[in-house]
Amino acid sequence: MLATKTKLDHFVYSSVSGADRLIGGRNYSKWEIEEYIRSLDLPLTILRPAWFMDNFSDPLFGLQTGKLSTAIKSNIKLQLIAVEDIGAFSALAFENPERYLGKTIEIAGDSLTPVAISNAISRAIGVDIPYVEIPIDTIRQISPSGARTFEFINNEELKIDIAEVRRLHPGLLTFNEWIGKIGKVKMELLFAPEH
């Protein structure tokens, strides 16, 4: 690995929230990578971002069909982070090595149920987007590891201290702020007629 052959002052790795508990899920490799990087004895900071807010502008979640669809239970609060804020935390780590070296930091900017997310999207784009929960068995038929990830989310609700994360990065975006700043334009593109 190039990092071990070069003298590094600081290595920042973006993993995934709950990596140490997500055994067998599709993000399990993130934990294996964390363990491998630790074994190299690098000057290290690990960031563990929650679910990306930006995921909701992906056609995979069905907005363009007029609904938001995932296998997350409607009453589960999903912790979320804007991709922009992951970049901000990376910059903070490099700018403040004395505070971040040797740390593993879970990061999230908001915590909302899928219904609250679909309501926020509806308000932002002016289209009624109901939440539709996909049965976990349907996901399992397509992707067993994806199903394990959703089971983890449904059964191991993350409890990232968002107030503490915001103390470290006061510009941390809430979901509504992210929609206003970034997400609305991306989501509206899903409804744009193809040329």
Side-chain angles (χ1 to χ4, degrees):
M1 181 179 193
L2 184 60
T4 59
K5 296 177 183 175
T6 307
K7 182 177 179 341
L8 288 179
D9 293 327
H10 199 164
F11 187 91
V12 176
Y13 174 63
S14 180
S15 184
V16 66
S17 186
D20 54 334
R21 297 181 288 140
L22 188 53
I23 306 304
R26 67 180 170 189
N27 287 320
Y28 179 59
S29 60
K30 293 279 195 177
W31 172 247
E32 293 174 317
I33 293 167
E34 281 188 28
E35 290 289 273
Y36 176 71
I37 294 169
R38 281 189 196 91
S39 77
L40 299 175
D41 201 29
L42 297 172
L44 176 65
T45 299
I46 296 174
L47 300 176
R48 288 189 181 159
W51 184 288
F52 298 172
M53 294 176 186
D54 305 66
N55 286 348
F56 292 107
S57 60
D58 187 314
L60 179 66
F61 293 99
L63 293 187
Q64 73 281 9
T65 66
K67 59 185 182 274
L68 173 64
S69 304
T70 76
I72 300 168
K73 293 176 186 172
S74 62
N75 64 333
I76 292 293
K77 282 198 167 181
L78 181 63
Q79 293 204 295
L80 307 162
I81 187 83
V83 170
E84 178 177 305
D85 286 327
I86 301 169
F89 267 96
S90 297
L92 283 170
F94 284 123
E95 292 164 5
N96 303 282
E98 71 287 347
R99 176 182 281 180
Y100 289 93
L101 272 171
K103 302 275 177 63
T104 297
I105 303 168
E106 303 255 351
I107 55 175
D110 212 337
S111 182
L112 298 169
T113 66
V115 173
I117 292 166
S118 67
N119 289 341
I121 293 169
S122 298
R123 284 190 304 274
I125 65 174
V127 176
D128 184 32
I129 304 289
Y131 179 65
V132 177
E133 184 180 331
I134 301 170
I136 201 77
D137 287 336
T138 301
I139 300 294
R140 190 173 288 108
Q141 291 170 12
I142 300 165
S143 171
S145 66
R148 285 191 294 275
T149 298
F150 281 111
E151 287 170 335
F152 173 80
I153 292 168
N154 286 331
N155 297 312
E156 300 284 335
E157 193 170 354
L158 295 173
K159 302 280 189 206
I160 298 169
D161 184 348
I162 294 172
E164 174 61 16
V165 177
R166 184 162 278 109
R167 188 186 66 72
L168 296 171
H169 171 43
L172 189 68
L173 295 173
T174 65
F175 189 69
N176 284 325
E177 290 167 341
W178 172 81
I179 286 178
K181 184 176 180 183
I182 300 164
K184 181 179 177 182
V185 172
K186 289 182 174 185
M187 291 173 183
E188 287 173 340
L189 287 174
L190 296 174
F191 293 92
E194 292 186 22
H195 301 288

